[in-house]
């Protein structure tokens, strides 16, 4: 048996053992949703969880004259995916993008993400560990308005600010408001902006030596979909004898779970099943470790400066 074949067999055995443990214990996963008001975030979350997680608000399109601060509202939903119990925490961020100056909102959301890392760092420093709930954000869905143009300055700055700290997944909200050619051109311009401005997003990384052919093919397909075009709807209708979730228009229907109509089903499967473990691993092994190293290095530099001051005195 070749080394690559041996590796695949060992990986499969390890995956089986991990799955057995996960079935027994269940999994915890946290997703943050960020985007301006009126982009269908609440509908998306309710569609994702297949339950009424957030009450839907009527969006009038009017901006308030009073500056609002962003709210950070976590809510946990108990679900079951592929026979595994899943404790899914959804973090909503109402108020984001609703002001003329949205810089404070960036800082509040980044501060929340980093606070979860600080909590883990503090727990790791304890001599006696306690039962600790990990609230780190494993994926951040950034909702881009379907303008058909390109990324706004706010979109660019926010994703650049958050990308080094969390797995950012850009999505085109309410993609059914664009025709297929318009959507394809819009996605192309967004990807060009992401490359041009060096925006760090989760782009389904591939390891040619470690990943098997199936994983490489799947990641390439998902990478081609970025940014995911999503449609949300809790309305169900019967079409050709089958009950489907869809949005109805005079010209026809857009089926939420039909991959020919939008990318929702593939995004949902990726988030809650196929790439859930990888997003958690990257959060812990790469993003958290980078933050931890930076923080400890800064604290070490401060300590060195204090020692030098003491010696001079």
């Amino acid at each position: 048996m070749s080394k690559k074949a041996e590796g695949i067999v060992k990986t499969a055995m390890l995956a089986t053992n991990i799955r057995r443990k996960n079935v027994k214990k269940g999994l915890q996963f946290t997703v943050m949703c960020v985007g301006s008001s009126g982009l269908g975030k609440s509908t998306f979350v309710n569609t994702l969880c297949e339950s009424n997680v957030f009450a839907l608000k009527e969006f009038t399109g009017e901006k308030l004259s009073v500056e609002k601060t962003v709210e950070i509202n976590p809510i946990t939903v108990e679900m079951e995916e592929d026979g595994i119990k899943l404790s899914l925490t959804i973090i909503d961020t109402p108020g984001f993008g609703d002001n003329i100056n949205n810089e404070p909102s960036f800082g509040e959301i980044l501060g929340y993400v980093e606070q979860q890392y600080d909590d883990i760092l503090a727990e790791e420093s304890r001599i006696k560990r306690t039962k600790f709930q990990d609230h780190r954000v494993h994926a951040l869905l950034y909702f881009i308005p379907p303008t058909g143009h390109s990324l706004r300055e706010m979109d660019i700055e926010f994703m650049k600010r958050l990308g080094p700290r969390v797995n950012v997944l850009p999505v085109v909200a309410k993609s059914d408001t664009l025709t297929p050619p318009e959507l394809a051109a819009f996605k192309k311009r967004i990807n060009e902006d992401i490359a041009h401005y060096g925006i760090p997003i989760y782009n389904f990384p591939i390891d040619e030596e470690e990943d098997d052919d199936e994983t490489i093919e799947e990641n390439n397909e998902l990478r081609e979909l970025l940014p995911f075009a999503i449609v949300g709807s809790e309305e169900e209708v019967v079409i050709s004898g089958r009950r489907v979730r869809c949005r109805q228009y005079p010209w026809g229907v857009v089926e939420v779970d039909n991959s020919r109509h939008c990318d929702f089903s593939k995004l949902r499967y990726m988030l809650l099943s196929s790439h859930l473990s990888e997003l958690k691993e990257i959060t812990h092994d790469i993003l958290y470790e980078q933050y931890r190293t930076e923080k400890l290095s800064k604290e070490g530099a401060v300590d060195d400066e204090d020692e030098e001051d003491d010696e001079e005195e």
Side-chain angles (χ1 to χ4, degrees), residues 98-120:
D98 293 345
N99 296 321
I100 295 172
N101 176 19
N102 290 288
E103 188 73 19
S105 297
F106 296 4
E108 288 185 51
I109 292 173
L110 178 61
Y112 179 88
V113 171
E114 292 184 341
Q115 182 59 54
Q116 312 317 307
Y117 290 155
D118 285 335
D119 291 346
I120 293 289

Side-chain angles (χ1 to χ4, degrees), residues 11 14 19 21 127 181 244 256 259 265 302 306:
T11 301
L14 179 61
R19 181 177 174 81
K21 290 179 182 177
I127 296 174
V244 298
V256 171
S259 59
S265 61
V302 170
D306 290 343

Side-chain angles (χ1 to χ4, degrees), residues 126-189:
R126 292 177 184 273
I127 296 174
K128 188 175 181 181
R129 299 286 179 89
T130 58
K131 280 191 176 180
F132 182 76
Q133 187 68 40
D134 184 357
H135 294 294
R136 284 176 292 185
V137 181
H138 303 115
L140 186 154
L141 300 184
Y142 185 71
F143 287 66
I144 300 167
T147 62
H149 303 305
S150 56
L151 290 177
R152 301 166 300 172
E153 184 179 348
M154 182 176 79
D155 305 326
I156 294 165
E157 289 305 314
F158 179 79
M159 289 193 285
K160 283 184 75 172
R161 186 85 64 88
L162 271 292
R165 291 288 182 255
V166 65
N167 293 302
V168 173
L169 283 160
V171 301
V172 177
K174 296 187 172 181
S175 64
D176 52 328
T177 60
L178 300 171
T179 66
E182 288 172 342
L183 179 60
F186 189 38
K187 281 190 171 193
K188 184 172 182 290
R189 281 191 288 272

